[in-house]
Amino acid sequence: MGALTFKRGIHPSHSKDFTEKKPIKIYMPKGDLVFPMLQHIGAPCKPLVKKGDNVLVGQKIGEPQGFVSSPIHATVSGTVKAIKDVLHPNGSKVQGIVIENDGEYTEIDTMIARKDYKNLSREEIINIIKEAGIVGMGGATFPTFIKLSPPPEKKIDHIIVNGAECEPYLTSDHRIMLEETDRVVKGLQIILHLFPDAKGFIGIEDNKPDAIKAMKEATKGISNITVATLKTKYPQGAEKQLIYSITKREVPAGALPADVGCIVQNIDTVVAIHRAVLRGRPLMRRIVTVSGGAIKEPQNFKVRIGTSYRELIEAAGGFKEEPTKVISGGPMMGLALFSLDVPVIKGSSSILCLTKKEAIQNEESNCIRCGKCVSICPMNLLPYKLNTLAINNEDDLFVKYKGMNCIECGACSYICPSNRHLTHSIRTTKRTIMAKKKK
């Protein structure tokens, strides 16, 4: 059987050669750490500490304010320097906690390792994951405990671990699969313990043969886990496309993966589940790729949440030339930064520093009705039409033409010969419509 795939999609340049062979390097922060109280989809957290308080590694410093929310923990020991509005990687200002790192990394005494998880009840495991502050670390940052608690009528039979990492440049998940292979497998086994009737699948694109080999070796003899080889194509790692590739089930518009019996988790999220359940450690670290042609020494870093982007760029040797664009995340779906003084948060997968050649932006021109955007759209939409409706503020027609189903993958903008800002206009209109609905 050949590599599994989905309908349509594109084949952008991989640009992973900067870091795919670079082992993960541990980076210990030197300056102050900043913890925005919003690092997840849902309600922001409320600070549990005040200026002048001493904090320890693993201490909860942000309390969820609502069901869809997730706690935040200190990743260093030190003193609370300030509680103030801080710059978020998405460009907004949110309330945050600034901690002066004392360099001691003194831990709270409640982070206790467990030898086994099988004697824990389902409710106990879900609560451990909830209290650990684990969210989707592929970028969506949806609280994991909610994903793992579908309504009883939703019968889950597929647990899919997303190792596609289809965005160009990104290699953090690839390196985890090579260097923390057993933790990925054990994390998946913990999830399967919650869903005894389900089978586990680890989906990996075929441009990572070493990861496929490593995961197959690690799962040999485990009857309920399969390593699924995926065709290298963008956006293979998008949730609905990944589900279709592996199960051939289509998630209907407005529905969730659980509606078709599936739960999808990112590679680093699964490792975080292992760390929480078996080692008693909340989500305090993540792997971040620092890459791009403007970086002297591109690297994959294991970094504590709260660390400054500027520090990480300096740890990668700094700039060898002034970047034209710096992006938080991948080049297809990431957000351009106007400041490097932002912290690594739970959803920070990479920092890309692109040269003028890499970030080339030709001038936008009129649509030539070529239909390329339609032919590659993985959601079977009409991006050119949605772009026109967005520009003309025709919200009702935008909804009628299924604009709210757009996954904002950026494939249409990539393929457009007229350099139309298709994804941006659709994304902006979606946000406007959702804001009106909230009001």
Side-chain angles (χ1 to χ4, degrees), residues 224-421:
N224 62 344
I225 296 180
T226 300
V227 177
T229 301
L230 308 170
K231 185 176 179 179
T232 300
K233 186 169 65 167
Y234 183 85
Q236 183 69 261
E239 202 167 52
K240 292 184 177 182
Q241 282 62 43
L242 182 61
I243 289 170
Y244 181 84
S245 293
I246 291 176
T247 70
K248 294 298 177 272
R249 299 174 186 175
E250 294 194 14
V251 182
L256 296 170
D259 294 315
V260 295
C262 299
I263 289 175
V264 180
Q265 297 288 0
N266 167 263
I267 285 285
D268 211 357
T269 306
V270 172
V271 172
I273 289 171
H274 166 269
R275 288 168 62 85
V277 175
L278 290 179
R279 297 184 59 198
R281 303 184 75 80
L283 179 52
M284 299 185 291
R285 70 96 186 103
R286 68 157 298 130
I287 313 302
V288 179
T289 299
V290 181
S291 190
I295 287 287
K296 276 186 186 174
E297 300 164 16
Q299 298 285 349
N300 298 294
F301 289 110
K302 181 181 287 188
V303 57
R304 297 192 176 225
I305 289 166
T307 303
S308 164
Y309 274 32
R310 187 181 295 278
E311 261 194 60
L312 275 188
I313 289 170
E314 289 169 2
F319 299 132
K320 64 181 180 184
E321 66 176 88
E322 193 64 28
T324 298
K325 182 179 282 189
V326 180
I327 297 173
S328 178
M332 301 298 290
M333 294 185 73
L335 298 171
L337 297 172
F338 61 84
S339 171
L340 301 180
D341 296 313
V342 294
V344 170
I345 60 172
K346 295 176 183 182
S348 300
S349 58
S350 73
I351 307 168
L352 301 184
C353 304
L354 306 180
T355 62
K356 188 174 182 179
K357 185 179 178 181
E358 290 173 304
I360 188 166
Q361 281 187 313
N362 293 317
E363 199 166 323
E364 190 176 24
S365 57
N366 291 333
C367 173
I368 60 172
R369 301 293 191 273
C370 65
K372 284 186 176 182
C373 62
V374 178
S375 69
I376 57 85
C377 176
M379 295 302 291
N380 200 24
L381 302 176
L382 305 174
Y384 77 93
K385 180 68 174 177
L386 293 171
N387 175 240
T388 301
L389 297 174
I391 291 169
N392 293 330
N393 297 315
E394 296 184 70
D395 292 356
D396 291 342
L397 280 175
F398 182 91
V399 172
K400 183 181 177 181
Y401 276 87
K402 311 297 183 187
M404 302 306 286
N405 294 349
C406 173
I407 59 172
E408 302 172 25
C409 66
C412 55
S413 294
Y414 177 87
I415 206 75
C416 179
S418 297
N419 306 299
R420 303 289 298 167
H421 300 162

Side-chain angles (χ1 to χ4, degrees), residues 2 16 46 75 80 88 92 122 169 193 201-202 228 237 262 275 280 287 314 326 374 385 416 438:
K16 294 178 185 284
K46 178 183 177 182
T75 61
V80 176
H88 193 282
S92 68
R122 174 186 174 82
Y169 292 92
H193 181 67
F201 293 83
I202 303 171
C262 299
R275 288 168 62 85
I287 313 302
E314 289 169 2
V326 180
V374 178
K385 180 68 174 177
C416 179
K438 281 183 181 178

Side-chain angles (χ1 to χ4, degrees), residues 114 116-132 190 193-194 276-277:
R114 299 176 184 84
D116 197 10
Y117 58 87
K118 292 177 183 174
N119 57 351
L120 296 172
S121 69
R122 174 186 174 82
E123 290 72 25
E124 286 173 319
I125 292 175
I126 294 289
N127 192 60
I128 289 167
I129 291 168
K130 178 181 179 180
E131 287 301 312
I190 291 169
H193 181 67
L194 301 175
V277 175

Side-chain angles (χ1 to χ4, degrees), residues 26-40:
I26 295 173
Y27 178 77
M28 302 303 281
K30 295 177 174 60
D32 296 341
L33 280 84
V34 177
F35 300 87
M37 290 292 98
L38 186 60
Q39 300 192 29
H40 47 265

Side-chain angles (χ1 to χ4, degrees), residues 40-41 64-71 122-136 141-151 191 194-195 263 265 269 273 346:
H40 47 265
I41 285 177
Q65 298 296 295
F67 178 69
V68 183
S69 192
S70 186
R122 174 186 174 82
E123 290 72 25
E124 286 173 319
I125 292 175
I126 294 289
N127 192 60
I128 289 167
I129 291 168
K130 178 181 179 180
E131 287 301 312
I134 298 172
V135 301
T141 65
F142 190 76
T144 301
F145 81 93
I146 300 176
K147 258 194 179 183
L148 297 179
S149 307
I191 301 173
L194 301 175
F195 301 94
I263 289 175
Q265 297 288 0
T269 306
I273 289 171
K346 295 176 183 182

